Amino acid sequence: MLSCTQRWIWRCVVVLVAFACAISAKIMITKVDYVSNPDYLTMSVQINNETEGSTVDVDGNLFLDVVQGVFVNIDLDSKMEGEYMTMIGTSKELCSTDEAGMDPVVPLLNEELEKFGNLSFNCPYHKGFYRMRRFRMSNDHMLVKMVPPGEYIVKMDLQHKQPNATDKVQVFKLSFYFEIS
């Protein structure tokens, strides 16, 4: 039979193990879909599933300079009762100097992107080669901590509007299907 002190220590150990499991979530990417506009760029995406989670490699070759009119939409969809529903969404004109409508998600993502290559959400974009190697969101990153275990899709849609044009042109669409455990 355990003494009161032993039971207390055992409970502390159980709580600490549960807490460690909660903060060491593993992100596994199960699928990626992407399409790019060949008038703007070529793009390839590779998923690397590793024991501690997934990493992503992206290669892109941009064919022209883009200094204004770049728009990004980012959505996080969660699978609930067999269907995906949007939890969080943000839209931003990346080349805008107006900080009034600044969404905090974009700078947080950009900070992580820049650690793994020369991809970013910062304008201007000059023609040339862009890459990202072994990108992963840290398990203790604020954006990861906010999301409970489950199945998700992160969708990114980048569009460009030429000066004096009325319509935006699709540059690329990217969807990452992943699980957090």
Side-chain angles (χ1 to χ4, degrees), residues 32 66 69 87 90 93 95 101 113 115 133 146 161 174-175:
V32 63
V66 181
M87 290 176 44
T90 186
E93 182 178 358
C95 301
L113 281 175
K115 293 177 184 177
R133 289 291 177 261
M146 293 182 347
K161 184 176 178 185
L174 185 62
S175 297

Side-chain angles (χ1 to χ4, degrees), residues 48-68:
N48 310 297
N49 284 324
E50 301 167 2
T51 55
E52 67 277 357
S54 297
T55 63
V56 178
D57 295 341
V58 177
D59 291 304
N61 190 11
L62 183 62
F63 302 131
L64 54 128
D65 292 334
V66 181
V67 296
Q68 64 183 19

Side-chain angles (χ1 to χ4, degrees), residues 1-152:
M1 178 161 228
L2 296 175
S3 72
C4 184
T5 304
Q6 288 172 323
R7 280 193 305 266
W8 183 83
I9 290 170
W10 180 246
R11 286 182 185 145
C12 287
V13 167
V14 169
V15 168
L16 287 173
V17 168
F19 181 72
C21 289
I23 62 171
S24 64
K26 183 165 47 170
I27 301 171
M28 293 301 289
I29 299 172
T30 56
K31 176 181 163 184
V32 63
D33 290 331
Y34 65 96
V35 61
S36 59
N37 183 334
D39 294 334
Y40 279 84
L41 66 106
T42 58
M43 183 171 152
S44 68
V45 180
Q46 179 180 326
I47 305 305
N48 310 297
N49 284 324
E50 301 167 2
T51 55
E52 67 277 357
S54 297
T55 63
V56 178
D57 295 341
V58 177
D59 291 304
N61 190 11
L62 183 62
F63 302 131
L64 54 128
D65 292 334
V66 181
V67 296
Q68 64 183 19
V70 179
F71 298 85
V72 67
N73 298 310
I74 302 171
D75 290 326
L76 174 64
D77 294 359
S78 174
K79 192 170 189 178
M80 294 183 221
E81 298 179 13
E83 294 187 35
Y84 285 98
M85 300 174 66
T86 300
M87 290 176 44
I88 302 169
T90 186
S91 296
K92 176 155 180 30
E93 182 178 358
L94 297 179
C95 301
S96 173
T97 57
D98 177 24
E99 297 292 324
M102 184 66 141
D103 187 309
V105 172
V106 173
L108 286 171
L109 284 173
N110 198 44
E111 182 180 297
E112 291 302 305
L113 281 175
E114 290 178 342
K115 293 177 184 177
F116 297 91
N118 65 344
L119 288 177
S120 78
F121 289 122
N122 295 326
C123 283
Y125 298 98
H126 297 289
K127 65 181 173 180
F129 190 70
Y130 291 85
R131 67 185 263 164
M132 181 172 63
R133 289 291 177 261
R134 298 283 194 236
F135 174 80
R136 68 181 296 274
M137 291 293 285
S138 169
N139 296 340
D140 62 352
H141 192 278
M142 183 178 72
L143 291 175
V144 174
K145 285 181 176 181
M146 293 182 347
V147 180
E151 295 179 47
Y152 299 92

